Amino acid sequence: MITLKNVSKTYGSGDKAVVALKDASLTVPQGAITGVIGLSGAGKSTLIRCVNLLERPTAGSVVVDGQELTELDESALRSARHQIGMIFQHFNLLSSRTVFANVALPLELAGISKDEIKKRVEPLLELTGLSDKAGQYPAQLSGGQKQRVAIARALASRPKVLLCDEATSALDPQTTASILELLKDINTKLGLTILLITHEMEVVKSICDQVALISGGELVEVASVGDFFTAPQTRLGREFLNDFLELEPPRALVERLEATAGPHTHPVVRLAFSGDAVSTPLISRLARECQVDVSILQAKVESIQDRTLGLMIAELMGDSRQTQQALDYLESHDLKVEVLGHVTRTA
Amino acid sequence: MSPALLELVLSSTLETLYMVAVAGLISAALGIPLGVALYTSRPGQILARPALNSVLSIITNIGRSVPFIILMVAIIPLTRLIAGSSIGTNAAIVPLTIASIPFVARLIEGALNEVGPGLVEAAQAMGATPMQIITKVLLPEARGGIINGLTITVVTLISYSAMAGTVGGGGLGDLGIRYGYNRFDPMVMLVTVVILVVMVQGFQSLGDHLVRKSNHK
Ligand SMILES: Nc1ncnc2c1ncn2[C@@H]1O[C@H](COP(=O)(O)OP(=O)(O)OP(=O)(O)O)[C@@H](O)[C@H]1O
Ligand SMILES: [Mg+2]
């Protein structure tokens, strides 16, 4: 388990001070995968580096596995770090060591015997699918294989927590998917708690349980992945989601959208439905029961882990009483309804 | 060339190799740690000691800035103290070593600087001590650069040792001056030059070979 409480980090001082992290609080429950997502420069790397104190927070508390890290002396911090694995965007493998020796490094550092090292490294190579690469040097490997070596290395000291700093950002989509699968796999098999940072919603969507949105050094939204994808609570959250889902109303429609309803307008709504609502024929019922016509402008169904999420942008055509009734009907069926604006009737 | 002269050529060659070997080994033994200290004590580095770093850096720069020929003369009292005499092969080793320690140190510092900061960071994240970072990450990762630096040092030592020879230090430089220049024996001069060239080529090829072998990039 990882608990950050009111963690702040300022680089430099005086005129050159850069506040990279402001009062960030976050809990990653035991065995969960939490993704921190944000734009470049938002403070993601700073946040994750504060967890193992590669960057010492200016203020706040960092508790990993019940231990307050900010109060430890150098040597106690070094032992605590054996319990925290970390992987990096650029792998950071030692080019002078073979795959086997890279994975063995943390064990050598901890003073573990050669025999024991062999016993522990081999299963890790197997787990990460690298058994046939043990004697090769990193330069002979592909990016995905290098990240597998880095993962095996991070797991060698049997950590309770794994930190991933943009672990898939240097990889192509297919390789990314296989690395994410491996992370999910070790999360399940070893019960490892994972904190990862990324700028890709795809990563959050495919393996995270919880998502934290960071902007300007602040955690602006922390939610379960299911909730975040169905109903982000902040404007930034919605922007991220819309960019990811590419579900924006058509440009021609946006130009015609008015903020307020008039006597001759129709509402344009964005509907998000999950769970049972996905499989219910809601739109045809809506048309029947409220006597509105529904013109679907865009629609999409996504599966977010075990949930299915439907998204739709639609124009509700009817008089104001009918459309209001339709909106009420949708909300009563647990749909997230957002009125984007109103368009003047063309017919 | 007479057998006596041939023997002189051989013994001079061995003297040069002896000076270069001893001065090279001692300056590597002292210069590598100094280079590591110069690098790791930099601000922001694993053993950041900015004040110590400035002091080491100034001392190193002084050592690097005195021309060898002047250094050799300037430290004669120290040479007498250490080698018991100010002429001869052993005496030449003292200034050769003192001149090449800061040289080696800067080359090592440069080689360590080529190691990516991400590697040090990864080791820190694994809980490595500064000493472990030096021995398990910095030095092995910089091996190619270090061998390259030591090769440059050896080649420089060969030419310095010839210079030391001109002021009574023995070796090929001595031979070249006494026979080739003072007695104007072009044959001896030529042989001396050829041996020096072959020596430099040999060490450079050996160095390059070792660099290539240690390079897995
Ligand atoms: N060592 C440092 N010294 C000074 N400023 C820094 C340092 N590291 C980061 N910063 C600044 O802190 C802010 C947050 O940086 P950080 O690296 O955490 O962002 P990030 O979200 O990881 O960005 P990216 O996606 O580009 O990696 C940035 O404004 C950056 O310039
Ligand atoms: Mg970053």
Side-chain angles (χ1 to χ4, degrees), chain A residues 76-88:
Chain A
L77 176 61
R78 280 195 287 269
S79 355
R81 280 175 175 166
H82 291 305
Q83 299 302 314
I84 308 174
M86 187 169 194
I87 58 174
F88 305 85

Side-chain angles (χ1 to χ4, degrees), chain A residues 98 140 218 327:
Chain A
T98 61
Q140 298 163 283
E218 291 179 87
L327 290 175

Side-chain angles (χ1 to χ4, degrees), chain A residues 4-8 21-26 47 61 217-219:
Chain A
L4 302 180
K5 223 176 272 160
N6 306 109
V7 173
S8 296
L21 209 55
K22 267 179 256 171
D23 235 6
S25 297
L26 180 67
L47 176 83
S61 126
E218 291 179 87
L219 288 175

Side-chain angles (χ1 to χ4, degrees), chain A residues 44-45 165-166 197:
Chain A
K44 304 183 295 293
S45 296
D165 186 349
E166 304 256 9
I197 66 171

Side-chain angles (χ1 to χ4, degrees), chain A residues 15-33:
Chain A
D15 298 347
K16 280 177 277 169
V18 179
V19 181
L21 209 55
K22 267 179 256 171
D23 235 6
S25 297
L26 180 67
T27 299
V28 186
Q30 175 72 44
I33 305 182

Side-chain angles (χ1 to χ4, degrees), chain A residues 268-295:
Chain A
V268 174
V269 293
R270 188 199 327 258
L271 308 175
F273 38 108
S274 55
D276 290 344
V278 175
S279 48
T280 323
L282 270 171
I283 300 300
S284 56
R285 282 190 196 161
L286 184 72
R288 255 200 323 273
E289 294 186 20
C290 310
Q291 275 111 48
V292 292
D293 287 321
V294 182
S295 160

Side-chain angles (χ1 to χ4, degrees), chain B residues 160-196:
Chain B
Y160 280 7
S161 80
M163 228 190 284
T166 62
V167 292
L172 289 167
D174 196 19
L175 181 74
I177 287 289
R178 276 193 290 141
Y179 288 77
Y181 182 73
N182 294 344
R183 300 188 197 176
F184 199 68
D185 184 339
M187 192 58 194
V188 174
M189 193 57 118
L190 184 67
V191 169
T192 310
V193 170
V194 168
I195 293 175
L196 285 171

